[in-house]
Amino acid sequence: MSPHPPALFPLFADLRGRRVLVVGGGAVARRKAEALLQAGARVLVGAPVLEPQLAQWLAAARIEHLAGTFAPEWLDAAWLVIAATDDVATNRAVVEAADARRIFANAVDDAGLSRFHVPARVERGPLQIAISSGGGAPMLARLVRERLELQFDESFGALADLLARNRQRIRARWPGLDARRRGFAGLLSGPLQGLLRKRQHLAAERAFDDALRGDAPPARGSVALVGAGPGDPGLLTLRALRLLNEADVILHDRLVSDEVLQLARRDAERISVGKHAGDGGHSQAQINALLVALAAAGKRVVRLKGGDPFVFGRGGEELQALRAHAIDCEVVPGITAALACAAHAGIPLTHRDHAQALQLVTAHGRDDIDALDWSALARPRQTLAFYMGVAALDQVQAQLLAHGMPATTPFAIVENGSRAAQRVVAGALADLPALARAHAVRAPALLIVGEVAAHACSLHWFGREPLTTADAASPLLAAA
Ligand code: SAH
């Protein structure tokens, strides 16, 4: 004997053109009416008065109205009824009258009274996933729904649509169930879904035709240039997460945090290509060659980079190399250090009162620094975000002062932004290198210069208080 009470029988109802009665004229009734309209039902709303949206739909003849209090005759032409009033007795009367006529009834938020339940659902075009806990644990059903929302991206809708349109051809091509199953597996392991994800619908149709003819090219490798964000795995995009779960090989920088790497498929090969002198790191040319070789060997490669691949990440060069070899590519943006560090330090990068522009600047070495337009950088009413600048703070300060930036201009250095070890050092341009030295600031750290940087002290919300003085009385040193 099953330890569970009898389960609900799931079904998807075709309500197109069929009358469905909604009893109630408030917000709940409106939501139900809206879902029913989307399903093509003829919606009758029974209530003394209608809330504004329902009244509008009535005026536009999208719904019909039965005015007054519930009467069993309202059920006369209905296939289904939803009792959506806030009065339990009315809802009960509706369900009982429906029972007498063998019409299925749902009472909103009342599993015990409902003869059918409306499931939580995930919709991807014609593909619908319905979830029910039998009414006993709606929060759990919601949690499952959230997970499914993440798991099935929008390409499933396009896929379901394409398959539905070609149903006859698929059946004709693979008449037996076994053959169909195998053919289908082949279809899904090919490039079809990837093309749908990239919204390349024509190419997807072609890939589908190829697969149907049985002359699909052998599985091709691909490379995704993926931004891993600043370190906190919560700041990955859903797309990055999906690609990490599908990857055969992951090439990552040293900047990518372990927490992020842990989210990748367990058996994916991981290759660290840190580019620091003397640590056996790879040159950019070696990385490009490796990406091309792995993809040519049929691997699904994720090139995982700290922050965003196109912001000081040399993603452009990698994309050029891959395109030159006609390798299948995609680029997934990530949250770049300037955005992540500013957010986690309470520094708005633009502000109506202080800054109308933002410059992302690299201060990597002598050449970078000499090439910068310092008079443009020293102008007021903008925010500067210097990447890779820890070793060059003296030059940055000297150049900005020499080009007329006031010595009182606020700065903030955000070290390990968004991570547990985040530290913020904040002060005025005059004290920049000295304060950073006093606190032994190390990479990765981002320097923000501009009026907005002063907010690091007033708007701080994440991690430790900013360090604002060079002495031991500052909060971090006191705590250490
Ligand atoms: N593509 C990356 C930048 C790579 S350059 C991005 O979009 O963020 C490396 C520099 O980025 C570091 O020297 C540092 O200035 C900055 N950076 C990256 N992650 C950081 C973090 N978590 N905290 C502070 N700075 C960071």
Side-chain angles (χ1 to χ4, degrees):
M1 226 182 53
S2 160
H4 301 293
L8 298 171
F9 182 78
L11 58 84
F12 288 90
D14 182 355
L15 294 177
R16 284 172 301 177
R18 298 190 207 282
R19 284 207 171 94
V20 178
L21 173 65
V22 176
V23 182
V28 179
R30 185 225 317 136
R31 280 201 297 278
K32 298 295 162 186
E34 184 167 26
L36 290 164
L37 286 172
Q38 274 163 10
R42 266 183 73 181
V43 179
L44 282 68
V45 178
V49 279
L50 301 180
E51 59 89 59
Q53 177 67 69
L54 284 170
Q56 222 173 67
W57 285 336
L58 176 64
R62 293 193 61 199
I63 61 170
E64 291 160 55
H65 183 205
L66 300 164
T69 49
F70 173 69
E73 300 77 59
W74 286 5
L75 289 163
D76 279 347
W79 288 75
L80 286 178
V81 58
I82 297 181
T85 77
D86 50 12
D87 177 49
V88 183
T90 304
N91 288 353
R92 181 172 300 280
V94 172
V95 173
E96 281 168 4
D99 277 347
R101 293 165 191 241
R102 296 195 211 144
I103 294 171
F104 273 99
N106 170 271
V108 173
D109 284 337
D110 193 338
L113 195 55
S114 290
R115 306 305 188 238
F116 74 91
H117 292 186
V118 181
R121 60 189 169 146
V122 175
E123 288 182 78
R124 296 288 180 269
L127 180 72
Q128 294 207 49
I129 310 170
I131 306 131
S132 165
S133 65
M139 292 307 272
L140 183 63
R142 205 166 299 164
L143 180 92
V144 171
R145 192 185 72 88
E146 275 166 25
R147 296 227 176 128
L148 292 173
E149 286 281 6
L150 302 187
Q151 200 171 335
F152 295 99
D153 62 65
E154 28 358 285
S155 73
F156 281 86
L159 182 63
D161 191 54
L162 185 138
L163 294 174
R165 274 189 284 115
N166 289 284
R167 183 137 179 265
Q168 296 308 331
R169 289 175 67 203
I170 294 172
R171 289 189 159 240
R173 172 65 178 82
W174 298 305
L177 195 60
D178 251 9
R180 201 144 67 232
R181 209 169 276 153
R182 259 180 284 122
F184 194 69
L187 201 62
L188 290 195
S189 66
L192 177 61
Q193 203 167 3
L195 290 167
L196 290 172
R197 276 198 188 107
K198 291 198 237 170
R199 308 282 202 274
Q200 297 190 3
H201 292 284
L202 275 179
E205 298 278 347
R206 270 200 300 278
F208 175 77
D209 290 343
D210 289 346
L212 215 55
R213 271 201 306 275
D215 56 12
R220 284 178 52 190
S222 59
V223 178
L225 304 180
V226 177
D232 176 344
L235 295 173
L236 270 183
T237 60
L238 296 179
R239 199 173 294 178
L241 187 60
R242 176 175 56 69
L243 286 162
L244 284 174
N245 274 305
E246 291 173 354
D248 297 315
V249 186
I250 298 166
L251 262 75
H252 62 89
D253 291 347
R254 285 173 27 139
L255 212 53
V256 174
S257 72
D258 289 343
E259 291 92 318
V260 167
L261 283 173
Q262 272 163 20
L263 293 174
R265 211 177 97 193
R266 290 268 165 263
D267 46 356
E269 186 186 345
R270 292 159 166 75
I271 303 175
S272 169
V273 289
K275 281 185 297 188
H276 283 244
D279 68 354
H282 298 56
S283 72
Q284 189 60 50
Q286 285 172 319
I287 294 172
N288 294 354
L290 192 54
L291 289 172
V292 170
L294 286 166
K299 306 279 190 201
R300 283 165 301 179
V301 184
V302 165
R303 172 73 176 106
L304 192 62
K305 293 161 167 295
D308 180 272
F310 280 1
V311 178
F312 305 129
R314 305 190 72 170
E317 291 156 65
E318 292 175 8
L319 188 59
Q320 282 171 323
L322 293 163
R323 300 294 299 174
H325 288 82
I327 302 231
D328 207 4
C329 303
E330 70 182 289
V331 183
V332 180
I335 295 187
T336 190
L339 304 187
C341 291
H344 288 82
I347 300 171
L349 289 170
T350 66
H351 192 294
R352 289 169 63 94
D353 300 336
H354 317 297
Q356 279 70 43
L358 165 67
Q359 297 213 45
L360 305 186
V361 189
T362 165
H364 184 36
R366 203 49 289 156
D367 291 350
D368 278 352
I369 289 175
D370 289 345
L372 291 169
D373 179 353
W374 287 99
S375 42
L377 291 172
R379 278 188 206 122
R381 303 199 69 77
Q382 61 176 340
T383 304
L384 309 177
F386 288 94
Y387 288 65
M388 298 177 278
V390 175
L393 297 174
D394 290 290
Q395 287 119 292
V396 170
Q397 180 205 40
Q399 291 282 8
L400 290 174
L401 291 175
H403 288 81
M405 185 180 270
T408 51
T409 307
F411 80 84
I413 298 176
V414 186
E415 180 191 84
N416 280 308
S418 89
R419 306 178 185 188
Q422 173 173 306
R423 291 198 304 168
V424 177
V425 176
L429 184 57
D431 307 320
L432 174 53
L435 210 50
R437 262 194 294 276
H439 294 289
V441 169
R442 266 183 286 275
L446 185 96
L447 167 66
I448 299 175
V449 181
E451 294 302 326
V452 293
H455 286 297
C457 298
S458 56
L459 300 179
H460 148 88
W461 62 273
F462 178 85
R464 286 168 284 197
E465 301 262 322
L467 304 157
T468 53
T469 56
D471 58 53
S474 81
L476 175 80
L477 298 183

